Amino acid sequence: MSARHELCQVFRIYWSLLLGNIVEWYEFAVYGYLAPHLEKHFFSGSSLGVWLGFSVTFLARPLGGIILGWIGDKYGRSMSINISIIGMLLGTCGQGLLPTLDCGTPWLGNLGLVLLICLRFIQGISAAGEVGTISSYLAEVASPSTLSRCSSLINSTASVGFLSAQFMCFLMETLFGKRGVEDWAWRVPFILAIIPGGIAVVGRRGIPESSMFLEAQKTNEEAAHATIFDKLEQAFRFWPNMLITFGAVSTYAVLQYGCLVWVQTFLATHGASKDHQMVVGLITRCLQIVLGLPVGWLSDIVGVGWMMTISAGLTMISGLPLWCVVASHPANLLATSLAFGLGFGLLGTLTGSILFHFIVEMFPTEVRNTSIGLAYNVGFAIFGGLAPFEATLLYKAHWTGPGFLYMFAGLGGLAVSLAARRLHATGALDIPYIRKAPFFGPIWPSTAKMDAETSSEFTDDSDNNACAV
């Protein structure tokens, strides 16, 4: 089966997985883009407070990764993703219905803040299970020759979610004006998540389990009866792999939230118009949407390990100078379009498009969901959830501070990928678990034998249902 045919089959059968992924990232991004309004309505004008509220979701992610990861490994990926999408919708839509400090009654404003924190906690638990299960699902149904390309769809659809959130906030301000958004229209983007989310809930009801998961359940009877503590014990047997996964998240997480979301707020408070913000955001996200599959193709050719090394190294080298351009000319459309839109957009594309393939290779099928759920989400909580708060503090200390944050995030990812390279070469790290080559093999290896290693979920019987090409 051709790569194009297989990718079309992924969209046809698993579209609700990808739609749910869009909704997940939309929900996270809406809070970031509306941070100035939430700061006023819930946090008494504290910019640090609003970003601490943002980080609550990420602090909840490790717990969600463990619980929903265990459900995915024991009862099936399908059950886990259905629970997660419902929890995300509850957490997001609820945020648009809360009382605020403007209600006139202090206790109502305080209640609204408490409920906001609770809903974001629920959102974090749900989102943690979503990303781990989708990563496992797509990796287990893809053929080896297109594994990176299928996994790249996670980052591409995440960018659709971010872009949708930014467009919705832009539309609210265009329709109702800045005053209208400040007064009440900030609620609308949260509430409207029910529409795509509801469609995703209905679509996920018929998604089949992956044959790789079903086979693992048959051959390992203990897995079917494992408690959450049993599964954690099994996962921690792969503690070196978990450490690699934890560190591998650093570059992507910091770029995603400490840069691509936080910088939009920075531009809004430093003279950039809403049209200016929309243009640079459009460039950044469209790059990730359009270039995701080509980057995935390159990873399928040269190996995901090498691509991790390259993307982290480029982030380390260019993070600081790109930020200096943005910080020096925040109201200049050309400067921010080149440095933020193109520069950081390309870095986000390189790191995000191959991360999810890299981490699913770290674990065997029977503990993949739980292990990713824990290691990825702990890393994302620390590196991503706190990144906007850290960027704010560093900028207050010195205007170049956020640039050093991006530089060291790249350095962290580079160190982890090189460590994985060394451990893989010496046999100390038993990876990869799905596609044996290319990983850290010779540049431009032959991929002719990949399909023989692992079979795809899709067979020639599905040719009649292929997308038109």
Side-chain angles (χ1 to χ4, degrees):
M1 183 187 300
S2 69
R4 183 183 298 182
H5 181 107
E6 183 174 335
L7 289 169
C8 287
Q9 290 291 80
V10 169
F11 278 109
R12 185 182 68 82
I13 300 174
Y14 298 99
W15 63 267
S16 58
L17 277 183
L18 300 173
L19 179 58
N21 193 51
I22 291 172
V23 173
E24 175 197 344
W25 295 96
Y26 168 89
E27 293 167 347
F28 276 97
V30 160
Y31 185 101
Y33 292 131
L34 292 174
H37 305 295
L38 300 175
E39 178 182 316
K40 172 180 176 289
H41 289 297
F42 293 99
F43 297 94
S44 303
S46 170
S47 60
L48 291 178
V50 75
W51 290 116
L52 280 175
F54 180 78
S55 67
V56 166
T57 303
F58 292 86
L59 296 177
R61 290 182 72 128
L63 178 62
I66 293 171
I67 295 173
L68 291 175
W70 167 70
I71 290 174
D73 280 335
K74 181 174 182 179
Y75 299 104
R77 317 306 197 205
S78 181
M79 179 180 292
S80 179
I81 58 172
N82 280 296
I83 294 173
S84 66
I85 189 68
I86 293 172
M88 285 195 300
L89 287 177
L90 173 65
T92 302
C93 296
Q95 290 176 67
L97 302 172
L98 296 176
T100 69
L101 295 171
D102 298 325
C103 290
T105 306
W107 72 269
L108 270 178
N110 293 330
L111 176 63
L113 176 59
V114 172
L115 290 175
L116 175 67
I117 300 302
C118 292
L119 289 172
R120 291 199 61 75
F121 195 85
I122 292 172
Q123 191 180 40
I125 288 177
S126 304
E130 181 81 4
V131 69
T133 306
I134 290 179
S135 301
S136 299
Y137 232 132
L138 290 179
E140 290 169 2
V141 302
S143 71
S145 61
T146 60
L147 191 52
S148 276
R149 273 166 283 187
C150 287
S151 296
S152 74
L153 295 174
I154 299 173
N155 187 61
S156 295
T157 51
S159 294
V160 173
F162 275 102
L163 191 58
S164 301
Q166 186 177 4
F167 174 76
M168 185 59 65
C169 296
F170 175 82
L171 182 63
M172 291 299 102
E173 191 164 337
T174 301
L175 293 176
F176 306 111
K178 188 174 182 179
R179 182 62 183 271
V181 175
E182 287 180 354
D183 289 344
W184 64 274
W186 63 269
R187 299 176 181 272
V188 177
F190 287 106
I191 297 172
L192 286 182
I194 191 67
I195 298 174
I199 295 172
V201 169
V202 174
R204 289 182 176 195
R205 293 173 61 187
I207 289 184
E209 288 291 349
S210 73
S211 59
M212 193 179 294
F213 168 77
L214 294 175
E215 182 64 27
Q217 291 291 90
K218 289 180 182 178
T219 57
N220 187 357
E221 294 184 3
E222 292 183 3
H225 306 287
T227 67
I228 191 169
F229 300 105
D230 294 333
K231 194 61 70 175
L232 279 173
E233 182 183 357
Q234 294 172 23
F236 275 108
R237 293 172 188 169
F238 301 91
W239 63 266
N241 309 54
M242 294 181 75
L243 285 178
I244 294 293
T245 302
F246 169 80
V249 172
S250 60
T251 306
Y252 176 70
V254 171
L255 280 177
Q256 196 70 268
Y257 287 102
C259 179
L260 300 182
V261 171
W262 180 82
V263 171
Q264 284 283 355
T265 303
F266 172 84
L267 294 177
T269 55
H270 287 77
S273 66
K274 68 179 189 297
D275 294 333
H276 179 161
Q277 297 169 56
M278 189 66 197
V279 168
V280 296
L282 189 65
I283 294 171
T284 301
R285 296 303 171 181
C286 284
L287 277 176
Q288 296 186 65
I289 295 168
V290 173
L291 296 181
L293 283 174
V295 171
W297 168 82
L298 187 60
S299 179
D300 281 328
I301 297 299
V302 305
V304 68
W306 282 120
M307 290 299 294
M308 277 290 294
T309 304
I310 293 167
S311 61
L314 288 174
T315 302
M316 180 187 70
I317 293 168
S318 59
L320 178 58
L322 287 174
W323 164 252
C324 288
V325 173
V326 173
S328 300
H329 308 282
N332 186 302
L333 179 58
L334 179 60
T336 53
S337 294
L338 292 174
F340 180 66
L342 287 175
F344 283 117
L346 285 171
L347 293 179
T349 303
L350 288 171
T351 57
S353 297
I354 45 87
L355 173 67
F356 299 99
H357 175 195
F358 185 82
I359 62 178
V360 297
E361 291 279 23
M362 292 288 147
F363 307 102
T365 304
E366 57 270 18
V367 295
R368 182 172 294 131
N369 223 160
T370 303
S371 301
I372 292 175
L374 179 58
Y376 173 90
N377 286 296
V378 169
F380 224 81
I382 294 174
F383 299 119
L386 296 177
F389 178 71
E390 293 166 352
T392 302
L393 280 181
L394 289 170
Y395 182 74
K396 289 180 180 293
H398 193 271
W399 70 274
T400 60
F404 283 98
L405 177 64
Y406 311 145
M407 182 181 73
F408 281 107
L411 177 61
L414 179 62
V416 166
S417 63
L418 291 177
R421 166 84 171 91
R422 177 61 180 167
L423 293 172
H424 173 260
T426 60
L429 192 65
D430 187 14
I431 54 173
Y433 277 94
I434 300 177
R435 185 174 73 185
K436 297 302 180 184
F439 189 71
F440 269 120
I443 298 295
W444 308 112
S446 170
T447 59
K449 296 182 179 180
M450 287 185 202
D451 287 322
E453 295 177 16
T454 306
S455 62
S456 169
E457 292 286 283
F458 311 123
T459 65
D460 292 336
D461 294 336
S462 60
D463 286 349
N464 295 330
N465 297 318
C467 300
V469 296

